[in-house]
Amino acid sequence: MTHDSKAHVLVIGAGVIGLQTAVTLLRAGYAVSIVAEYWPGEGQPGYTSDWAGAHWRTHASAEEKELCEWDTETYRVWGEMVKQEEREGRKGEGGLGVYTSLHYWDTQAPEIANGASSLWWSSIVSDLKVIPPSELPDGVYFGVSFSTFAINVPRYLQYLLSCVEALGGRLVHARLPTESGIEAALESARALVGGSSIRAYINASGIGARQIARDEAVEPIRGQTLLVKGEAKCIATRLGKSKDDIRIVIPRPGSGTSIIGVTKEPSIWDTSASEISKQKILYGCKELAPELLRKDGEFELLGTQVGLRPARRGGPRVAAEILGEGELIIHEYGHSGAGWVLFPWR
């Protein structure tokens, strides 16, 4: 089959969702073009994927069956990817690393009503253990440890981008018009790639879906994290007494750095760094990774990151739609902070 004879799919957006979708389609034999304004490594506030932690941690409740399936599949796929890289002498090439995760709850949350057995993902992850009360930090009600994945975000995004290029995908840097709705945006995208016979479109526009898809349910959740020197020994997550009280430490495999955080501020579009949030993070994460502290008891701060998680009231929209001229578009947006793990691989 020649490249020209392949069914052509056009992806809008080059975040982790758009790039992973493109790679999946290319490996399945489709011709793929990506049109996006922002790309990995550019440091643009409007490009959320650059500012992720990131690691495998479910954000889904047991009732959200489809999301649980996606989380489960991501855990499996990443496990296979790590093993394949090790077999082929390419360990860490894709930016993934295997770590013990320490997961703490300050209160008796519904998801741990019956201890670890209440966690829907307890049978999915490897090496799940209940942390003895004597080993819990002060103020923690319950904790578990398990084996999971941390991600070197810049390396993983560049890995996906290199896969797209190696598989023959076409990359187009352009800003699509959003003021006239999705049909006008698709017409512009089609003209940019010179494709009159596009089989389907993928709308992976992230926070941009609020405009391009006219979806007012899309809203940002502002997040601020800090990049610090040193790779933490473990991933650590502490869920506080309020839903917005979350502390995390995530090593970035092979980088000599870690991410600490984090804030969750719904409906805030401001991407400037907050000094108050910075100091709160620096103080709150000390007990989670004491090995990263200098002799003076402080982290060595390398940078501050602010991103807008592309959230959506009602959850992610992953659905097909037929537009007025008969175009098939598949929407993939609204994953909030879970876009790295909520991917429908099949």
Side-chain angles (χ1 to χ4, degrees):
M1 179 184 291
T2 66
H3 185 280
D4 291 341
S5 68
K6 294 180 181 180
H8 189 185
V9 179
L10 196 156
V11 178
I12 298 173
V16 65
I17 294 289
L19 292 174
Q20 185 63 72
T21 299
V23 171
T24 302
L25 289 169
L26 285 162
R27 287 174 173 167
Y30 291 90
V32 176
S33 297
I34 305 176
V35 177
E37 180 178 9
Y38 303 128
W39 294 80
E42 295 178 347
Q44 294 289 337
Y47 183 81
T48 304
S49 294
D50 266 349
W51 312 118
H55 62 132
W56 189 97
R57 176 175 78 87
T58 184
H59 293 248
S61 67
E63 292 72 32
E64 296 172 305
K65 300 299 184 183
E66 188 172 45
L67 305 189
C68 293
E69 290 174 5
W70 296 346
D71 278 343
T72 300
E73 187 69 0
T74 296
Y75 192 91
R76 184 191 67 80
V77 169
W78 282 354
E80 291 179 354
M81 180 177 170
V82 167
K83 291 176 182 177
Q84 182 175 355
E85 288 181 351
E86 291 178 347
R87 286 196 304 267
E88 298 176 357
R90 302 182 292 110
K91 184 177 180 179
E93 180 181 84
L96 293 174
V98 179
Y99 292 83
T100 295
S101 178
L102 306 175
H103 199 101
Y104 303 120
W105 290 262
D106 284 0
T107 62
Q108 189 176 4
E111 64 180 328
I112 52 168
N114 296 311
S117 63
S118 297
L119 299 169
W120 74 260
W121 44 272
S122 62
S123 62
I124 303 303
V125 300
S126 301
D127 305 318
L128 181 77
K129 299 180 180 68
V130 174
I131 299 173
S134 61
E135 297 178 15
L136 296 174
D138 291 342
V140 171
Y141 171 78
F142 184 75
V144 297
S145 66
F146 60 96
S147 179
T148 190
F149 307 95
I151 308 164
N152 183 326
V153 165
R155 184 179 298 174
Y156 190 87
L157 290 171
Q158 289 299 325
Y159 166 77
L160 291 178
L161 192 59
S162 65
C163 285
V164 172
E165 294 180 301
L167 292 166
R170 183 179 178 187
L171 312 179
V172 179
H173 293 60
R175 184 182 188 280
L176 297 178
T178 58
E179 61 277 359
S180 300
I182 191 71
E183 286 89 352
L186 296 186
E187 182 180 355
S188 177
R190 188 164 53 246
L192 286 167
V193 302
S196 58
S197 58
I198 294 174
R199 177 71 60 86
Y201 300 85
I202 307 293
N203 176 19
S205 55
I207 199 71
R210 181 178 175 89
Q211 290 184 302
I212 200 169
R214 302 283 179 87
D215 190 342
E216 294 186 357
V218 175
E219 60 182 8
I221 298 180
R222 181 187 180 277
Q224 181 167 323
T225 60
L226 306 177
L227 182 69
V228 298
K229 185 176 180 179
E231 288 186 39
K233 295 178 181 178
C234 300
I235 299 168
T237 303
R238 181 167 177 174
L239 306 180
K241 295 181 178 180
S242 70
K243 65 179 181 179
D244 298 327
D245 182 9
I246 302 175
R247 283 174 267 175
I248 61 168
V249 173
I250 307 172
R252 283 201 160 169
S255 72
T257 64
S258 297
I259 291 291
I260 64 173
V262 59
T263 66
K264 294 184 72 174
E265 303 166 79
S267 302
I268 303 297
W269 290 88
D270 183 8
T271 58
S272 59
S274 164
E275 181 64 22
I276 293 175
S277 295
K278 183 181 81 171
Q279 294 303 326
K280 182 180 178 180
I281 293 168
L282 288 171
Y283 175 78
C285 290
K286 288 183 179 181
E287 66 178 0
L288 296 181
E291 71 274 15
L292 299 183
L293 303 179
R294 301 178 307 209
K295 290 182 179 180
D296 63 0
E298 303 295 334
F299 291 103
E300 183 169 336
L301 181 62
L302 301 178
T304 300
Q305 305 187 147
V306 179
L308 302 178
R309 303 176 184 90
R312 182 175 181 271
R313 295 188 300 277
R317 184 185 184 192
V318 180
E321 180 182 7
I322 303 296
L323 301 178
E325 298 298 321
E327 298 104 330
L328 170 63
I329 182 167
I330 299 171
H331 299 285
E332 267 191 304
Y333 63 82
H335 297 72
S336 192
W340 285 79
V341 296
L342 283 180
F343 186 78
W345 296 88
R346 299 179 183 180

